[in-house]
Amino acid sequence: MRPPPPESLLAALALLACACETSAPAATGPVDRAPPAARDWTGSHETPPPPPVSEAPALPKGTWALHVGDSFVHASLWQNLRPRFDATGTGYVVEATTATYTTTWASDPDLEKWLNRRPSLVLVTLGANEVDMPVPAEHALAVEQLVRKIAETSAACVWITPPMWKKDSGILQVIHDHSAPCLFFDSDAVMGGLRDDERQRDRIHPNERGGARWAESFWGWLVDHRDPAGPGW
């Protein structure tokens, strides 16, 4: 019988066996892995992801949209919506006046003239000049009168809220509660609000960058909410 190998040789053989087992470095902590499917995502984004790009089909000849409102319509909103409407063959008429209110448009005779021409879609962008009202409910009747006139034409209708630069005193809730049958597009909820670098120097109105993102968010939403069974919007 051979004498057992010395302890130093046993130790060397043990180290050699360990070295051959793997060449990967030791883990330093848990490894983050992407969830296997979107439904498994439980985190949150600081900035909401951009909405999916939606395309509207070509619409029947003679289809046109009327856009009324205040200065926010002119803040790179209609400028970015027009080419999208053009691409669908939809006429797009903008009648927006700076420093106007829901009460202004509820009794505007020019609005009635435009509505008598039977637009297929009416967009309303109002509320920015009423954010500081002490009693915003006082304009609930004006909101109802305005949407009633639109509904009488059988046009589809969407009320687009302004992207807020400060907390309002309640006018947006009043519009939400009284604007049916118009659909209510909550701009901030859909696009996550505007950043400081997406507003003009007044820190209120969207600049070109902000207006472009606003229009993109609204357009995707509008196309997704269009009734495919109808001939127009």
Side-chain angles (χ1 to χ4, degrees):
M1 175 179 286
R2 296 181 181 179
E7 293 184 2
S8 58
L9 179 58
L10 290 175
L13 290 173
L15 289 174
L16 181 60
C18 292
C20 295
E21 191 171 314
T22 178
S23 60
T28 57
V31 178
D32 292 329
R33 293 182 174 85
R39 63 178 178 272
D40 296 328
W41 171 252
T42 58
S44 61
H45 296 282
E46 292 183 2
T47 302
V53 177
S54 301
E55 295 183 0
L59 298 176
K61 186 176 181 180
T63 301
W64 69 284
L66 173 65
H67 196 165
V68 301
D70 53 31
S71 58
F72 271 74
V73 178
H74 295 295
S76 294
L77 180 58
W78 75 258
Q79 295 91 331
N80 284 281
L81 289 179
R82 182 178 297 284
R84 290 173 164 87
F85 278 115
D86 289 346
T88 70
T90 301
Y92 180 52
V93 175
V94 178
E95 285 290 314
T97 306
T98 300
T100 50
Y101 305 78
T102 53
T103 49
T104 309
W105 287 93
S107 57
D108 191 305
D110 289 335
L111 173 62
E112 296 182 9
K113 293 178 183 178
W114 282 111
L115 292 178
N116 287 336
R117 299 184 183 185
R118 292 297 188 267
S120 304
L121 170 67
V122 179
L123 306 179
V124 181
T125 306
L126 288 169
N129 295 307
E130 294 151 274
V131 297
D132 293 324
M133 284 190 65
V135 187
E138 291 179 351
H139 283 192
L141 180 59
V143 173
E144 293 176 357
Q145 291 174 336
L146 176 54
V147 299
R148 187 182 305 119
K149 290 180 179 181
I150 297 172
E152 288 173 355
T153 70
S154 299
C157 173
V158 181
W159 197 300
I160 307 170
T161 66
M164 299 304 293
W165 64 101
K166 65 177 181 178
K167 184 174 176 55
D168 70 301
S169 62
I171 188 62
L172 297 187
Q173 188 63 49
V174 169
I175 293 171
H176 174 275
D177 294 344
H178 296 270
S179 57
C182 290
L183 297 182
F184 182 84
F185 178 75
D186 188 331
S187 298
D188 285 338
V190 174
M191 69 175 179
L194 291 181
R195 302 185 301 270
D196 290 343
D197 65 349
E198 292 179 318
R199 295 191 188 272
Q200 299 179 25
R201 291 183 178 180
D202 63 5
R203 298 183 180 181
I204 296 175
H205 296 84
N207 58 21
E208 292 183 3
R209 185 186 300 108
R213 189 162 70 86
W214 186 19
E216 180 183 20
S217 297
F218 172 68
W219 185 257
W221 181 94
L222 177 65
V223 172
D224 289 343
H225 286 76
R226 175 181 173 271
D227 181 4
W233 290 98

